[in-house]
Amino acid sequence: MNRRLLGKSLALALVAGTTMLGAACAGDEPETPSGPVTITVNGMPPATDAVNRKNFEDDIKAFEAKYPNIKIDAKEGFMDPQQFATKLAGGQLEDVFYVYLTDPAALIAKRQVQDISAQLADFPSIKDVKPDLMKVFTGGDGKVYGVPVANYSLGLVYNRTLFTKAGLDPASPPKTWEEVREAAKKITALGNGVVGYGDYSKNNTGGWHFTAEMYSIGGDVAAKDGDTWKAAFNNDKGKQVLQQLKDMRWTDNTMGQRQLLEWADLLQMMASGKLGMYIGSADNFPVIVNQYKAKYEDFGLGGIPGGQGTLGGGDGYMFKAGLSPEKIKAGLTWLSFKGGALDPSRIAADNEKAAAKGQPVGLPQPNIWTGASLAKWEEATKKHANIPSENFGPFLASTATIPLKLEPPLAQQIYAVLDTAMQKVLTDQNADISKLLADAEKQVNTILSTVK
């Protein structure tokens, strides 16, 4: 799981503060700066993260030396959903502020962010950003209100060593759920407590994975009907997802006895060599290797089985409503200097710096690029790679054809409901899948009725 997926979305806070915030921001007049432009930005690492904090502060010094008419007033941290609404209403939000990809739509709709289209035209690399990501920051009026800086999507994390021992080809991970099921049987047959396939069912991770697995077979969890949202999982595809898990758990016995797993559990099992496969993302590997003391050489990442869609997300920056053109230009210049979506030429230097400090270079994400900028990213990644990046080739190849889908609205509340269905099929061999989906549908429709 990507850490961004759980508990960090601003959506709930935004829904709660809609009326007040819209009134506070929509009518603001653009500021008119005099003299050098000072912009407030967030994203500065905490002092406890000494290496990255120093890198950030060094970047500010270098930026201000290069652009003496722009001053950076950096604030620590990224975004706290619990404080976002209060800061926005009180005028305390940074000029350039960090968001998750689940948040721009609501901010744009409520006119809480600034159109940056005119200034963005001066940064030609923006044309190479993946169109799906730019859509997130584009309003219904066709104007652009922010830029992405990183993305991720889910695939199949697998243990290459176990694949080899089980007679499976570690260079060719399963591409369908049927292949996952067969591979899990062979891996489980290794014995010694090895589990073929693992899945979550606790603390919203079960609902999150149910959603990902629905997307993977072309299904959905919520669908918009006019101006309202409705649950979209009580159907044959929803039954297919739960039935496969139930069959693997109780018929094949390839998912182990231990259930009610949450995020860290599967990473620990993978690191210990006791798990063959699970759904995860590239950012799982640094945790598996660094925190749980494993080796990159033992693991691989494939595209999500089914391949009809993959749940993903990421982050970016938006601009506070009412910001002057000069401040918008200064903010874009800062983001360009930091890399992100505006200047891929910094990728090589950043990779070199990361490799020198022992940080992993060669993972397939984050990568927001297409075209010539993608070529720069690939060249810089290959040049400075310090991990076996070929192990993640199957995933990288899949990203060109598998559509990215974002989380549903009020995702965490929906995931909490769907946890129950996942828990039931993994802990009760007599679980009634039709009833589980019907009960969840009623609850999710109640949640979705509050989406404005």
Side-chain angles (χ1 to χ4, degrees), residues 138-161:
T138 303
D141 55 7
K143 297 176 180 176
V144 180
Y145 294 83
V147 293
V149 296
N151 76 316
Y152 69 90
S153 57
L154 295 178
L156 184 70
V157 176
Y158 64 100
N159 187 309
R160 291 172 58 90
T161 301

Side-chain angles (χ1 to χ4, degrees), residues 51-347:
V51 172
N52 289 315
R53 175 66 169 253
K54 185 177 186 307
N55 287 341
F56 195 95
E57 292 174 339
D58 288 347
D59 280 345
I60 292 177
K61 291 178 182 176
F63 177 81
E64 292 182 341
K66 184 175 182 178
Y67 301 99
N69 287 326
I70 303 175
K71 302 299 180 186
I72 301 297
D73 180 6
K75 307 298 182 184
E76 188 175 288
F78 289 94
M79 181 56 66
D80 182 349
Q82 302 304 316
Q83 298 181 4
F84 181 82
T86 301
K87 288 180 66 175
L88 185 55
Q92 298 174 327
L93 195 63
E94 292 82 5
D95 297 330
V96 182
F97 61 95
Y98 178 94
V99 294
Y100 304 102
L101 294 191
T102 47
D103 301 315
L107 290 165
I108 294 169
K110 297 174 180 63
R111 295 187 294 159
Q112 293 165 331
V113 286
Q114 186 70 36
D115 169 22
I116 63 171
S117 304
Q119 294 76 26
L120 196 58
D122 293 334
F123 297 84
S125 293
I126 198 71
K127 66 178 174 50
D128 284 344
V129 176
K130 293 178 178 176
D132 284 349
L133 296 178
M134 286 308 298
K135 285 180 183 176
V136 174
F137 291 92
T138 303
D141 55 7
K143 297 176 180 176
V144 180
Y145 294 83
V147 293
V149 296
N151 76 316
Y152 69 90
S153 57
L154 295 178
L156 184 70
V157 176
Y158 64 100
N159 187 309
R160 291 172 58 90
T161 301
L162 291 181
F163 263 54
T164 300
K165 290 181 178 178
L168 299 165
D169 182 359
S172 182
K175 294 182 177 63
T176 68
W177 284 105
E178 291 78 11
E179 291 176 358
V180 167
R181 186 173 178 180
E182 293 307 309
K185 292 176 183 176
K186 294 180 179 179
I187 294 169
T188 303
L190 294 172
N192 195 30
V194 171
V195 172
Y197 179 79
D199 216 330
Y200 297 123
S201 59
K202 188 178 178 183
N203 287 339
N204 299 6
T205 58
W208 170 59
H209 260 201
F210 176 84
T211 300
E213 290 158 16
M214 282 290 286
Y215 288 1
S216 77
I217 59 172
D220 218 328
V221 163
K224 200 167 187 180
D225 181 11
D227 294 330
T228 61
W229 287 84
K230 296 289 185 182
F233 54 80
N234 185 14
N235 49 39
D236 288 345
K237 292 188 184 299
K239 292 175 183 175
Q240 179 182 337
V241 168
L242 293 183
Q243 189 64 53
Q244 163 117 351
L245 292 171
K246 187 178 181 182
D247 289 343
M248 292 175 71
R249 170 69 176 90
W250 299 106
T251 302
D252 302 345
N253 292 314
T254 56
M255 297 187 68
Q257 298 297 313
R258 182 187 170 206
Q259 295 300 327
L260 304 180
L261 303 176
E262 52 188 316
W263 187 66
D265 294 323
L266 293 182
L267 277 66
Q268 289 174 323
M269 291 170 66
M270 183 60 68
S272 68
K274 296 296 185 183
L275 176 62
M277 301 171 286
Y278 74 93
I279 297 302
S281 55
D283 69 350
N284 287 191
F285 294 105
V287 179
I288 291 172
V289 171
N290 297 328
Q291 186 169 337
Y292 300 125
K293 310 303 179 188
K295 297 178 180 177
Y296 283 103
E297 290 78 0
D298 286 333
F299 309 108
L301 184 65
I304 193 161
Q308 296 189 49
T310 181
L311 193 156
D315 40 56
Y317 283 87
M318 302 190 83
F319 294 71
K320 185 170 66 175
L323 216 57
S324 70
E326 291 81 3
K327 285 200 170 188
I328 295 171
K329 184 66 176 290
L332 289 171
T333 303
W334 165 248
L335 293 177
S336 176
F337 184 83
K338 289 287 289 176
L342 302 172
D343 187 5
S345 67
R346 286 197 37 117
I347 296 172

Side-chain angles (χ1 to χ4, degrees), residues 362-386:
L363 291 170
Q365 288 181 334
N367 169 28
I368 62 173
W369 301 107
T370 64
S373 297
L374 175 61
K376 289 182 180 178
W377 180 88
E378 290 176 335
E379 181 182 2
T381 299
K382 184 178 180 181
K383 181 177 180 181
H384 298 287
N386 56 8

Side-chain angles (χ1 to χ4, degrees), residues 363-438:
L363 291 170
Q365 288 181 334
N367 169 28
I368 62 173
W369 301 107
T370 64
S373 297
L374 175 61
K376 289 182 180 178
W377 180 88
E378 290 176 335
E379 181 182 2
T381 299
K382 184 178 180 181
K383 181 177 180 181
H384 298 287
N386 56 8
I387 63 173
S389 54
E390 64 274 14
N391 288 4
F392 312 104
F395 174 84
L396 193 59
S398 76
T399 58
T401 57
I402 299 179
L404 179 74
K405 295 187 68 172
L406 298 178
E407 295 177 281
L410 303 180
Q412 299 306 317
Q413 295 179 58
I414 293 174
Y415 294 166
V417 170
L418 293 170
D419 264 3
T420 300
M422 294 288 277
Q423 289 174 11
K424 197 68 175 175
V425 297
L426 294 174
T427 60
D428 181 359
Q429 60 182 325
N430 297 314
D432 183 339
I433 289 174
S434 294
K435 185 176 188 307
L436 289 170
L437 290 174

